[in-house]
Structure formats: structure tokens, C-alpha cells
Amino acid sequence: KQWYQRRVRGCTNVILLEKMVKESPDCTVLVTFSGFVFIILQGLCFHPEYLYKNQIPIRNYLIITVLFFTSSLANMVALSYEVDMPTVLIFRSGSLVANMIVSLIAFRRSYPLAKYISVVTVTAGVLISTIATAKLKTSEAGKQGGDLTRWIIGILLLAYGLFGSATLGVFQEKMFSRFGKHPKELLFYNHL
């Protein structure tokens, strides 16, 4: 299919999700749970061997599964805390700094100066956008009775999701380097 058809479908999903959250803020847990159930059922139908014959020992999936589930849930639940979809998308652009920090700690990697400058620049943009949104939320709270505290909790959930996803990437990289890449098996166990 053409690239623009995939983009339109992706945008439609985001628009639909945002509309659902506006109508029923508590639906985010159900949406996350439904996605997990769908992937599990697909894995069981098309790859039942994952239950008894694994390329990677199951104990290695435990940390990855917990990180994936909690970071996915945190990202979805953040929408219930008065964080709008554009803020979520902008905030998730901060994954560069999260990945860099986790890689520096876990792998003791170093990067060229240009990469550090690039990451700082993108992160500054994310922070400016988040602060601007906070100021907007503060003025809305005064006018419409919105709750800035709920929004801050949502931002903290997004931060957890951001660093949880970065840590997940590091664990996957370590696991794949040791056991080889098995993406379908990983997808199944991530959602189990």
C-alpha cells in the first residue's frame, strides 16, 4: 500500500482514540487491555508453539513484559488526566533523551558531541512545548474549573512511559544480542 494510506490510517486511529477519551476518560484501560487480548489471541491461533517451545527462555521475558505493560498503560492512562493528544505526541518526542540516558547508564555508551547537542535541542523543544501547555492549562483551570494537578499527574505518567520504553529497548537489545532476534515471539510474550 502507499505510504499515505498507512499515514491516514495511523492518524485516524489517533483521532478516534482522542475522541473516545474525551467522551469517556476511563476507557483507556479498556483500550489497552483490548489490544493486549487481541495480540495474545492472534499469537495463540497462529503460533501455539510459543506456549511450549521458546527460542528465548521465558524468564527473560518477565522484565520486558512488565516494562511494556506498565509503560503502555501509563501512556494510555495519561490521556485520562487531562493531557491532550498533541501534548502526548510532543512529549513522546522526548524519547531521544530517555534512550540516551538509559544507554549511558546501562551500556556506558558515549556519543559524539553533535548527538548530545541534537538531543538537548529536541529536548528543549519538548520542554518549551510542555511548559507552554502547562501555562495554557493554568489559565483554563481558572476559567473552566480544570485541574492542573490532574494534568501534572498525566505528565508524570508520560515521563514514566517514556523512560519505561527506553529501558525496555535496552533490555530487548541485550536479550537479542544474547539469544538472537525473535520478534513474533517477543510480541506474543510482551502482551501475555
Side-chain angles (χ1 to χ4, degrees), residues 40-190:
I40 291 168
L41 291 176
Q42 182 185 24
L44 290 174
C45 290
F46 296 108
H47 299 285
E49 69 274 9
Y50 291 160
L51 291 176
Y52 56 87
K53 180 184 165 200
N54 301 324
Q55 302 296 321
I56 298 173
I58 291 178
R59 68 181 176 275
N60 293 291
Y61 285 120
L62 182 62
I63 292 173
I64 288 176
T65 301
V66 169
L67 282 170
F68 181 70
F69 178 74
T70 58
S71 61
S72 295
L73 191 61
N75 285 325
M76 290 297 286
V77 171
L79 292 170
S80 302
Y81 283 87
E82 300 193 23
V83 176
D84 58 356
M85 190 57 75
T87 303
V88 170
L89 296 175
I90 290 168
F91 200 85
R92 292 190 65 181
S93 299
S95 65
L96 292 171
V97 72
N99 286 324
M100 185 174 272
I101 289 170
V102 172
S103 291
L104 285 167
I105 293 168
F107 287 129
R108 306 213 189 303
R109 287 191 177 147
S110 61
Y111 296 96
L113 181 60
K115 284 196 179 186
Y116 288 113
I117 292 169
S118 298
V119 168
V120 167
T121 304
V122 170
T123 304
V126 170
L127 288 173
I128 290 168
S129 176
T130 304
I131 290 167
T133 304
K135 288 181 180 178
L136 182 64
K137 286 288 178 186
T138 303
S139 67
E140 285 178 9
K143 294 177 187 173
Q144 300 172 355
D147 190 357
L148 183 62
T149 304
R150 286 184 53 81
W151 182 82
I152 290 171
I153 292 170
I155 293 297
L156 291 173
L157 285 167
L158 286 176
Y160 171 79
L162 196 65
F163 280 93
S165 294
T167 306
L168 172 68
V170 168
F171 277 116
Q172 285 177 343
E173 190 175 338
K174 285 184 175 184
M175 191 174 72
F176 285 159
S177 68
R178 184 171 176 199
F179 298 107
K181 291 186 179 183
H182 305 284
K184 289 183 181 179
E185 183 178 292
L186 176 66
L187 182 67
F188 176 74
Y189 281 106
N190 266 352

Side-chain angles (χ1 to χ4, degrees), residues 10-22 27 85:
C11 290
T12 303
N13 288 342
V14 170
I15 292 168
L16 179 62
L17 177 61
E18 189 172 23
K19 185 163 180 55
M20 287 171 55
V21 169
K22 282 184 180 179
C27 78
M85 190 57 75

